[in-house]
Amino acid sequence: MATDAFPAHGAGPGEALAGDNYLTHDHGILSWLMTLDHKRIGVMYLIGILSSFLLGGIMAMLIRAELFTPDQMFLTENKYNEFFTVHGAVMIFLFIIPGIPGALGNFVLPLMLGAKDVAFPRMNLFSWYLWMTGAFFFLAALVVGGLDTGWTFYTPYSTQTSYVVVAAMMGVFILGFSSIFTGLNFIVTINTMRPPGMTWFRMPLFVWSLYATAIIQILATPVLGITVLLLTAELVFGIGIFDPNLGGDPILFQHFFWFYSHPAVYIMILPAMGIISELMSVFSRKPIFGYRFIAYSSIAIALLGFLVWGHHMFVSGQSALASFIFSALTFSVSIPSGIKVFNWLATMYKGSIRLQTPMCYALSFLLLFGIGGLTGLFLGALATDVHLHDTYFVVAHFHYVMMGGTLIAFLGGLHYWWPKMFGRMYNEAWGRLGCLITFVGFNATFLPQFLLGSRGMPRRYARYEIEFQGLHQLSTVGAMILGAGLLLVGLVLLHSLFAGKRAPSNPWGSGSLEWQATSPPSPHNFEDTPTAGNPYDYSQMHYDPRIEGYVPNKTVDS
Amino acid sequence: MNQTALSSESESGASHADHDHSPFFAHHFESPQQQFDAGKLGMWLFLITEILFFSGLFVAYAVFRARHPEVFADAHLYLDKSLGTVNTVVLLFSSLTMAWAVRCAQLNQQRGLIVCLTTTLACASLFLGIKAIEYAHKWDSGIFWAGMYQPLADYHGDHGLSPFLIGLSVPALLALVIFAVAAVLAYARRARQQLIVFGGLALTSLAFFVGVGCAKAVPVVVDAMVGGDHDQATVVSVEGGRTESVQEGSEDAEQPPDEAPETGPTGFSPAGIFFSIYFAMTGVHAIHILAGMGVIAWLLVRSVRGDFTPTYFGPVDYVGLYWHLVDLVWIFLFPLLYLIQ
């Protein structure tokens, strides 16, 4: 894990008291695998999560490549089914859901609270091991082959296809508990370990969003747990609850599944929104606009998210009344989402905007999430959904929200906290270029898919009519650009580890507490428990060109 | 491990006043009180996840019962109300002793703490023993979950030893032998703490067989009290009604319950779903009992070691909460499954 890249005694600019930090404090692989330090666990999550992203991304590239022509190029229909299943399952369960809370949240949350660690460090490490175990089951399912149900594992097909579904189910079950324990840890940490001076409404908004996320993780994930357990029992014993041949109800599985998986969408997007709230304020050099509204809207999204699962099932035969109610409730979720977007815009208004790399991602997020959110309205409306259901329109929509939203925000957050995590600055120009290529590639990939979908191209098909070929080829070329962009992003970040400039404590001029720790932080984060003020007050600091970072105006309070 | 090493350095800060006494104070907390609060909140949140975990099963129950009310009413007659009642009382009692254990820890009554924890363990084991009889009895008569549901028409009570019962008893028997031997060894070595722990665990394993014995005895006693073969007769008639009914019928038919039970298009009996749900709910509950027993055994080890004091009793408290939830789930399962009519 590249710890040797960080000399213990760096006297780079801005690191007056650098010496011992969490990366160099202990050596050896065991000091990582047995660590209880939330920062190291966060880094281990980061490595695991980025590896799964790479795996899922390679799958996506192969799928897009196969779709370059209407006929078979190199994937048979069955292999194609397996590929999109594994792509979806890996991206959802191994990357997006644990991504921001597991990697960035673990690293940043205690620092933001001025705490030494999360409330339950052992449970934190345990949940990382659970994540690894779940990932192992997914890999096993991938190696064995034959997992072709789609990431939704709908019955009755999933009870009739191969037994490899059991491995995937175990993976999902274990990953679910990893997610639950992370959420539990965060709620307890936020409730009991805030520093003096940090009232609920002085918490950074990223903390609020992690809190809202944790609520969903705790309330929704157990339902997924029992669902996959019942599905496993269905496969192994034939308990018949989901199997129509035994008197069961396959639609019940859909209800159970979406009762988790719709709120899970908010597990994915809420922390992303929290990151954007931080970035917007810091890089506009202006206090966040409508703090309380953004904070409450996170909680509102978390709670409303539980009431809309039926909008995935408009054409599954649920009653018209149920569809009507679910549709109406679905629109209500757009209110808190809209509140956030308008507050971000108002934050930028008359701000002193700096287009550093994290802010470029934040702006990308705003555009892509805007498109993703607005196209969601067509799918939430009953009449249009019947036409668009199970087409590429849906694929494009959720990629705009999940990838354009969550992944872009994740990258923004990663670039924002990278100096804190590893003590190195990446190259700004290349970082921005990576963001630009990713943005262009992303739109080239998924905008054509909206057109494909509205013209009737169904999702999950390995072959298609010749009339769709032009748009499919555009999408495939876009995917390659997107892949190149992400590769560049990865290279820029990796390069910084070895050749980056040393990061000052506060390179961006942020007001939240994690920037009061050294970069990288010492093993127990702070010398003394810091006192929290307003996290969005930028008047108390100024730029010091000697260290290329910000320092407090009064140097008394270190 | 690493953690304590790490933060013992930062520990020298003056802000932590009064925690040097407890060896179980984790140093990333500001005070023992904060540690206790964090643990308690964590446990409550965990209990919420547990409730939602069970909620899936309760929803499945509600859906299928609403769809086939008469099937549920008929099928539940296979369940033995008297054994269910005994088990309810046993679990309630174990909750009492668990709460008592928390009290003992708070009052520094070490002996009482050990006795209460052992009693709780024994009650849990007794519960499982009775449950084993119930399961074995059903499996003997061909009552499985939907996929294997083939009730035997000619099954009239148990004769001799059931292979299923033996199978279910093997783990308890193994535990009994291992713990008894360990207890004897501890006695020989005069290791008093080990003797108490292993003795308690051997007692716990023994309680499983007490439960089995109880469950064998209860129907006899109930029969004697109620007078005769009333229950048995009902069950047999229900079985007869079910097995002869392989005629076609629609799934959502609204027949009166005493007509031939409905069957699905492929000839399945919807009663199988009832037993799927029965086994799923009681099975998941039993897994929670087992997990609880594991944790209480850990508490027993620690309390024998004298870890718990009036200033540090968090784990006893948290496990107590968990145990009450497991009890509470049973309080809902019992009427929903055993007392439908």
Side-chain angles (χ1 to χ4, degrees):
Chain A
M1 357 213 109
T3 46
D4 300 333
F6 308 97
H9 302 286
E15 279 312 309
L17 38 85
D20 190 25
N21 68 50
Y22 81 100
L23 292 165
T24 56
H25 185 73
D26 286 310
H27 296 280
I29 189 82
L30 270 187
S31 78
W32 283 84
L33 293 179
M34 306 285 285
T35 184
L36 297 178
D37 183 347
H38 68 98
K39 298 180 289 298
R40 286 190 162 198
I41 294 172
V43 171
M44 294 198 293
Y45 261 116
L46 186 66
I47 293 167
I49 276 157
L50 290 178
S51 313
S52 0
F53 179 63
L54 182 66
L55 176 69
I58 289 171
M59 297 254 137
M61 289 295 142
L62 291 173
I63 291 168
R64 274 322 315 170
E66 169 62 35
L67 289 171
F68 196 74
T69 62
D71 302 315
Q72 176 170 338
M73 285 174 72
F74 55 93
L75 284 179
T76 63
E77 284 83 352
N78 282 332
K79 271 287 162 218
Y80 182 85
N81 290 346
E82 289 180 29
F83 270 51
F84 75 67
T85 301
V86 174
H87 163 72
V90 165
M91 285 297 198
I92 297 274
F93 293 113
L94 290 179
F95 172 65
I96 294 195
I97 288 178
I100 298 179
L104 299 178
N106 253 327
F107 189 93
V108 173
L109 176 71
L111 287 165
M112 279 187 153
L113 296 178
K116 293 192 191 86
D117 210 316
V118 291
F120 308 118
R122 275 196 194 83
M123 186 192 274
N124 200 17
L125 181 66
F126 180 59
S127 74
W128 182 76
Y129 275 106
L130 284 180
W131 185 91
M132 290 294 281
T133 316
F136 168 78
F137 272 102
F138 266 63
L139 279 183
L142 176 64
V143 171
V144 173
L147 186 67
D148 59 352
T149 58
W151 78 277
T152 49
F153 305 107
Y154 271 11
T155 53
Y157 183 67
S158 56
T159 55
Q160 292 159 2
T161 180
S162 86
Y163 271 94
V164 76
V165 173
V166 173
M169 288 296 100
M170 287 297 96
V172 171
F173 186 79
I174 292 165
L175 288 169
F177 272 91
S178 165
S179 179
I180 287 173
F181 288 141
T182 302
L184 195 159
N185 225 334
F186 284 3
I187 288 194
V188 174
T189 307
I190 295 168
N191 262 317
T192 59
M193 299 181 72
R194 277 173 288 129
M198 189 180 285
T199 60
W200 282 94
F201 291 103
R202 278 181 164 186
M203 295 194 310
L205 286 164
F206 183 54
V207 177
W208 269 103
S209 74
L210 285 177
Y211 197 82
T213 309
I215 291 176
I216 310 177
Q217 286 174 315
I218 281 186
L219 292 182
T221 319
V223 179
L224 180 74
I226 191 67
T227 309
V228 299
L229 216 55
L230 286 175
L231 186 57
T232 308
E234 187 77 76
L235 273 148
V236 178
F237 301 115
I239 57 167
I241 287 177
F242 300 133
D243 186 352
N245 290 325
L246 295 170
D249 184 352
I251 300 294
L252 186 64
F253 175 83
Q254 294 189 21
H255 279 290
F256 279 1
F257 181 81
W258 288 115
F259 183 84
Y260 165 75
S261 292
H262 193 78
V265 170
Y266 301 109
I267 295 180
M268 307 170 201
I269 196 69
L270 273 170
M273 290 168 155
I275 291 176
I276 299 303
S277 301
E278 300 295 324
L279 300 184
M280 285 293 171
S281 173
V282 169
F283 292 96
S284 301
R285 311 306 303 154
K286 205 174 143 229
I288 189 86
F289 186 90
Y291 174 93
R292 280 186 186 235
F293 274 92
I294 296 182
Y296 280 134
S297 65
S298 291
I299 305 294
I301 290 175
L303 299 181
L304 286 174
F306 279 96
L307 308 176
V308 301
W309 79 89
H311 70 212
H312 296 270
M313 301 166 58
F314 284 158
V315 297
S316 72
Q318 72 183 358
S319 77
L321 178 67
S323 292
F324 170 73
I325 292 171
F326 278 125
S327 174
L329 286 168
T330 300
F331 285 109
S332 73
V333 182
S334 57
I335 298 170
S337 313
I339 287 175
K340 282 181 190 290
V341 171
F342 287 118
N343 279 308
W344 292 328
L345 290 175
T347 303
M348 288 196 289
Y349 179 65
K350 288 191 176 171
S352 166
I353 297 174
R354 286 149 200 210
L355 288 178
Q356 281 157 312
T357 313
M359 186 60 171
C360 294
Y361 281 105
L363 293 177
S364 305
F365 173 94
L366 216 52
L367 278 161
L368 301 179
F369 178 75
I371 296 174
L374 290 172
T375 50
L377 298 181
F378 298 100
L379 298 171
L382 288 173
T384 41
D385 182 67
V386 174
H387 174 65
L388 297 171
H389 185 84
D390 262 352
T391 67
Y392 265 63
F393 194 91
V394 180
V395 177
H397 158 70
F398 70 70
H399 278 92
Y400 262 89
V401 180
M402 302 289 82
M403 197 177 176
T406 307
L407 173 72
I408 293 294
F410 174 78
L411 290 176
L414 191 60
H415 282 82
Y416 176 59
W417 283 301
W418 188 264
K420 185 56 65 188
M421 294 176 101
F422 299 107
R424 300 284 183 159
M425 302 300 291
Y426 47 85
N427 184 306
E428 263 303 321
W430 284 100
R432 281 179 224 174
L433 186 66
C435 176
L436 179 71
I437 297 176
T438 304
F439 180 80
V440 170
F442 180 86
N443 283 299
T445 311
F446 292 107
L447 265 182
Q449 296 190 3
F450 281 123
L451 295 174
L452 280 169
S454 59
R455 290 177 189 181
M457 171 74 208
R459 67 190 284 201
R460 294 181 169 174
Y461 275 39
R463 314 283 171 253
Y464 53 84
E465 297 294 322
I466 190 77
E467 66 191 89
F468 295 123
Q469 190 174 15
L471 287 168
H472 265 302
Q473 289 188 340
L474 182 55
S475 181
T476 299
V477 171
M480 299 306 149
I481 299 175
L482 176 58
L486 290 171
L487 197 65
L488 177 61
V489 171
L491 290 177
V492 169
L493 289 179
L494 277 182
H495 174 261
S496 78
L497 289 181
F498 302 100
K501 268 192 286 191
R502 280 189 186 284
S505 291
N506 192 354
W508 317 117
S510 318
S512 44
L513 292 181
E514 77 269 29
W515 302 101
Q516 290 185 20
T518 54
S519 298
S522 71
H524 35 265
N525 296 350
F526 300 97
E527 299 308 308
D528 299 303
T529 306
T531 307
N534 178 355
Y536 300 107
D537 180 8
Y538 303 109
S539 61
Q540 305 295 320
M541 62 185 82
H542 62 271
Y543 186 73
D544 183 346
R546 282 175 303 146
I547 63 164
E548 300 184 348
Y550 286 75
V551 288
N553 286 344
K554 286 172 241 158
T555 41
V556 197
D557 50 355
S558 59
Chain B
M1 322 144 244
N2 207 351
Q3 179 60 31
T4 37
L6 280 186
S7 29
S8 53
E9 306 159 29
S10 71
E11 226 297 60
S12 46
S15 58
H16 327 97
D18 56 342
H19 54 69
D20 328 55
H21 337 346
S22 172
F24 306 108
F25 176 66
H27 293 290
H28 60 285
F29 291 111
E30 295 286 324
S31 65
Q33 184 61 36
Q34 190 189 36
Q35 181 176 11
F36 178 78
D37 290 344
K40 195 135 183 174
L41 178 62
M43 183 43 85
W44 276 110
L45 291 171
F46 180 69
L47 295 187
I48 291 174
T49 70
E50 287 286 3
I51 290 171
L52 279 145
F53 190 77
F54 276 101
S55 74
L57 292 168
F58 281 106
V59 169
Y61 175 92
V63 165
F64 286 103
R65 181 165 171 185
R67 232 172 256 179
H68 310 286
E70 71 292 344
V71 172
F72 271 54
D74 273 8
H76 100 285
L77 294 172
Y78 287 89
L79 306 183
D80 191 326
K81 285 189 181 60
S82 45
L83 289 186
T85 312
V86 172
N87 255 351
T88 309
V89 172
V90 168
L91 266 198
L92 278 174
F93 184 74
S94 79
S95 250
L96 171 70
T97 53
M98 191 67 225
W100 203 336
V102 178
R103 191 70 190 141
C104 285
Q106 287 170 337
L107 297 177
N108 208 14
Q109 298 168 347
Q110 298 295 339
R111 182 187 288 263
L113 175 61
I114 293 166
V115 169
C116 282
L117 289 176
T118 313
T119 316
T120 312
L121 276 174
C123 284
S125 183
L126 191 77
F127 175 92
L128 291 177
I130 294 177
K131 208 76 217 148
I133 282 279
E134 289 193 69
Y135 276 17
H137 185 77
K138 284 180 193 59
W139 294 342
D140 281 339
S141 50
I143 301 174
F144 287 89
W145 41 90
M148 291 172 62
Y149 182 73
Q150 278 175 331
L152 308 170
D154 56 347
Y155 180 76
H156 300 285
D158 47 344
H159 305 292
L161 271 177
S162 141
F164 293 113
L165 182 60
I166 295 171
L168 288 172
S169 304
V170 165
L173 191 63
L174 273 178
L176 178 59
V177 171
I178 291 169
F179 291 132
V181 168
V184 169
L185 286 178
Y187 180 75
R189 288 190 297 140
R190 296 177 188 282
R192 189 176 153 275
Q193 292 192 352
Q194 288 181 14
L195 175 63
I196 297 174
V197 170
F198 290 124
L201 292 178
L203 211 64
T204 301
S205 318
L206 193 63
F208 181 87
F209 297 99
V210 176
V212 170
C214 263
K216 291 268 188 199
V218 164
V220 180
V221 176
V222 171
D223 274 4
M225 281 165 57
V226 180
D229 49 3
H230 172 73
D231 273 357
Q232 198 66 20
T234 323
V235 170
V236 170
S237 76
V238 169
E239 280 174 4
R242 175 141 298 105
T243 41
E244 75 194 20
S245 63
V246 197
Q247 72 228 38
E248 52 181 13
S250 68
E251 239 196 303
D252 48 355
E254 290 176 4
Q255 298 146 324
D258 49 357
E259 270 187 34
E262 52 191 300
T263 48
T266 48
F268 62 82
S269 164
I273 292 278
F274 173 83
F275 287 102
S276 290
I277 289 175
Y278 166 80
F279 284 118
M281 289 182 117
T282 55
V284 171
H285 180 258
I287 290 172
H288 279 80
I289 295 264
L290 281 171
M293 288 173 75
V295 190
I296 296 173
W298 168 72
L299 286 185
L300 181 65
V301 172
R302 292 192 65 180
S303 55
V304 168
R305 221 159 55 192
D307 283 0
F308 301 119
T309 60
T311 50
Y312 175 76
F313 58 90
V316 190
D317 206 4
Y318 314 148
V319 174
L321 286 174
Y322 170 82
W323 192 251
H324 298 319
L325 181 87
V326 174
D327 190 16
L328 190 64
V329 169
W330 178 258
I331 298 297
F332 281 92
L333 289 186
F334 176 55
L336 285 177
L337 293 169
Y338 289 76
L339 307 177
I340 287 179
Q341 274 176 335

